[in-house]
Amino acid sequence: MSAASRPARPGGLLPDWVSDPKVWRTEVLAGLVVALALVPEAISFSVIAGVDPKIGLFASFTMAVTIAVVGGRRAMISAATGAVALVIGPLNREHGFGHLVAAVILAGVFQIVLGALGVARLMRFVPRSVMVGFVNSLAILVFLAQLPELGHVPWAVYPLFAGGLVLLVLFPKVTSVVPAPLVSIAVLTAITLGAAIAVPTVGDKGALPSSLPVPGLPDVPFTPETLTTIAPYALAMAMVGLMESLMTAKLVDDITDTPSDKRREAVGQGVANIVTGFFGGMGGCAMIGQTMINVKVSGARTRLSTFLAGAFLMVLCIAFGPVVSEIPMAALVAVMVMVCFATFDWHSVAPGTLRRMPAGEIAVMVITVVCVVATHNLAVGVVVGSLTAMAVFAKRVARHADVTAVTSPDGAQVVYAVTGELFFASANELIGRFDYANDPAEIVVDLSAAHVWDASSVAALDTVTARYAQRGKTVRITGLNDPSAALHGRLSGELVGGH
């Protein structure tokens, strides 16, 4: 276990890594690289939301700094995001910026409540195939977001972009002391400035702020009408933000092989959005691209890198705004493209993997990717993918439910042995497996090798019993395990009625 991953010493207040210079160097440089990458992203998301560029930059600053303290996943980056901008943008256009800020604060309240109620536990029901689809779709979305920066641009952009990729690939083979993205950005900026090459720069995206944000209340009337206006947007933002953040946290858990506190992360996202709202920001959530730069490319593992990413962002904008404005977009695009290739799960689409994977699992992964890429909404993809996975699972389990009949030698009794899981998907088929007209007067339904899961199964057993009773025949149900017997005893006779 690395120093960055170790907890505090017994009885100590500070973790072990605080005294490790190597960890400090990694975390500081990672924070600087992420801050540089956040600048154009935050400005772009501000455009999507229809607000001034500084609003997105302020949101990225307050989100990162706050979540570094209150979040549950170390080294994960939270800032202004496209998903949140898409949700909150229409509110800004229809009702004004004050309503947007009020919605961000209310969304934070919703996230705290949902986190306290344990919404993070729902992550257990997200299958691996959905998770893989989520990761791959994110890589595709981030890649597609870079393409506009490579179209209709001066020819010099392309050799700069190619040179950036070469540096990102080769420099780590020389040394890992300094992150390759930072070297690539510095070298390409020096080349464009030194040779006076005219290419699109960060400054072309919008003006950088010249002062720190100031806290204040949203400029809206505090009335029930305002609440009913902002509540739907706030709830949608809260759900989308939590889903993206918890999915990203799970991804970082897998990459770093360390656990995280999902409940704390959910509550922390709410706190960060409330703080961001009071500072006039547009809100946000976890960012997959910048998190991958921080964790996978730069090797960060602590809260320090997250905090410094936000702090450096403001320092870069306020103190070094003219220099940051000169960074060529080609350098940042090269970094993001490398992040895409590092994030995409190439093993999941390898021919050997696809041959071995069940068709249903592949379908779930593809559906998740298609939904996310088509809607640019991660929440839609995850929900549709999870529902598809549930349907595939239900169909697969239902096929294992079977019924075999054995008639006694004297022909006076028939025993139906039921095996498998009985639930809504298999219960209806169960009803048609009995020979009501030709069976003898005594029927035994043996459930020793079955489990009754829901009311649909109890209703199916009641229907079987009722159909035999209409013909003057008796049914005995035997072999129920304790949970099945309890459910059957509670619901039998209450569901079918006189049918």
Side-chain angles (χ1 to χ4, degrees):
M1 182 181 289
S2 66
S5 302
R6 287 196 294 268
R9 297 183 184 92
L13 296 176
L14 299 176
D16 287 348
W17 62 261
V18 170
S19 59
D20 190 335
K22 183 179 179 181
V23 173
W24 274 88
R25 183 184 67 238
T26 299
E27 301 297 312
V28 170
L29 293 176
L32 181 56
V33 172
V34 172
L36 289 169
L38 278 174
V39 174
E41 294 276 323
I43 294 174
S44 298
F45 299 146
S46 299
V47 174
I48 293 174
V51 298
D52 190 275
K54 68 180 181 182
I55 302 302
L57 291 165
F58 286 161
S60 296
F61 162 62
T62 54
M63 286 293 299
V65 169
T66 306
I67 205 68
V69 178
V70 300
R73 174 63 260 179
R74 298 189 304 273
M76 189 168 77
I77 304 297
S78 291
T81 62
V84 168
L86 286 170
V87 171
I88 215 77
L91 177 63
N92 178 58
R93 288 188 287 273
E94 294 172 16
H95 299 281
F97 181 67
H99 282 72
L100 181 149
V101 172
V104 170
I105 296 172
L106 183 59
V109 174
F110 283 148
Q111 288 177 327
I112 291 175
V113 172
L114 291 170
L117 292 175
V119 70
R121 289 197 298 267
L122 295 176
M123 287 301 298
R124 295 179 299 172
F125 299 101
V126 178
R128 183 184 180 279
S129 52
V130 174
M131 189 66 188
V132 172
F134 169 81
V135 171
N136 289 348
S137 60
L138 281 171
I140 293 170
L141 282 183
V142 174
F143 178 77
L144 293 176
Q146 310 312 310
L147 295 183
E149 304 297 338
L150 298 175
H152 306 291
V153 292
W155 67 269
V157 167
Y158 302 108
L160 286 172
F161 171 68
L165 291 178
V166 171
L167 279 171
L168 290 166
V169 172
L170 297 182
F171 189 80
K173 301 180 185 300
V174 177
T175 179
S176 59
V177 173
V178 182
L182 184 58
V183 173
S184 177
I185 292 169
V187 169
L188 295 187
T189 303
I191 290 174
T192 56
L193 290 177
I197 302 173
V199 292
T201 64
V202 170
D204 296 331
K205 291 288 184 181
L208 302 182
S210 57
S211 62
L212 289 171
V214 178
L217 294 175
D219 184 17
V220 294
F222 294 91
T223 62
E225 289 74 16
T226 300
L227 181 62
T228 56
T229 299
I230 66 174
Y233 294 95
L235 182 59
M237 175 184 164
M239 296 300 294
V240 169
L242 282 182
M243 191 168 294
E244 285 206 39
S245 299
L246 295 176
M247 292 290 284
T248 304
K250 188 174 187 299
L251 177 61
V252 177
D253 291 351
D254 295 339
I255 292 173
T256 62
D257 196 24
T258 56
S260 62
D261 187 339
K262 304 298 190 303
R263 180 187 290 247
R264 177 176 172 179
E265 181 61 36
V267 173
Q269 288 290 327
V271 173
N273 273 305
I274 290 174
V275 171
T276 298
F278 280 119
F279 275 91
M282 56 181 275
C285 62
M287 297 188 75
I288 181 69
Q290 277 65 25
T291 297
M292 290 300 99
I293 292 176
N294 197 46
V295 174
K296 203 163 188 177
V297 178
S298 301
R301 292 293 183 271
T302 77
R303 299 178 185 276
L304 180 61
S305 58
T306 305
F307 180 87
L308 290 178
F312 282 150
L313 176 64
M314 279 295 100
V315 172
L316 289 170
C317 291
I318 296 172
F320 300 99
V323 176
V324 174
S325 296
E326 296 300 327
I327 295 175
M329 286 303 300
L332 297 175
V333 170
V335 171
M336 296 308 297
V337 168
M338 283 301 297
V339 169
C340 295
F341 278 92
T343 302
F344 195 90
D345 188 349
W346 296 101
H347 178 71
S348 67
V349 294
T353 303
L354 295 176
R355 282 195 298 269
R356 290 189 296 269
M357 285 281 288
E361 302 283 325
I362 296 173
V364 169
M365 180 181 70
V366 171
I367 288 171
T368 302
V369 171
V370 170
C371 287
V372 171
V373 174
T375 64
H376 284 232
N377 189 321
L378 296 165
V380 171
V382 171
V383 170
V384 173
S386 297
L387 291 175
T388 304
M390 292 177 188
V392 169
F393 175 76
K395 182 179 179 181
R396 185 181 301 161
V397 173
R399 285 205 304 264
H400 292 290
D402 195 19
V403 180
T404 56
V406 177
T407 304
S408 61
D410 60 4
Q413 182 188 77
V414 61
V415 178
Y416 284 93
V418 181
T419 59
E421 309 301 318
L422 300 184
F423 63 112
F424 62 89
S426 57
N428 290 332
E429 184 180 350
L430 175 71
I431 297 173
R433 301 295 296 274
F434 295 84
D435 189 354
Y436 302 100
N438 301 316
D439 279 342
E442 186 177 345
I443 298 93
V444 176
V445 180
D446 183 5
L447 298 174
S448 301
H451 187 98
V452 178
W453 285 103
D454 59 7
S456 297
S457 305
V458 176
L461 292 172
D462 283 358
T463 299
V464 170
T465 302
R467 289 188 179 182
Y468 277 116
Q470 290 172 356
R471 293 168 172 81
K473 302 174 183 181
T474 59
V475 176
R476 283 191 301 117
I477 297 176
T478 64
L480 287 166
N481 57 34
D482 290 343
S484 299
L487 181 65
H488 185 266
R490 188 167 66 251
L491 297 180
S492 182
E494 304 294 330
L495 303 171
V496 177
H499 297 292

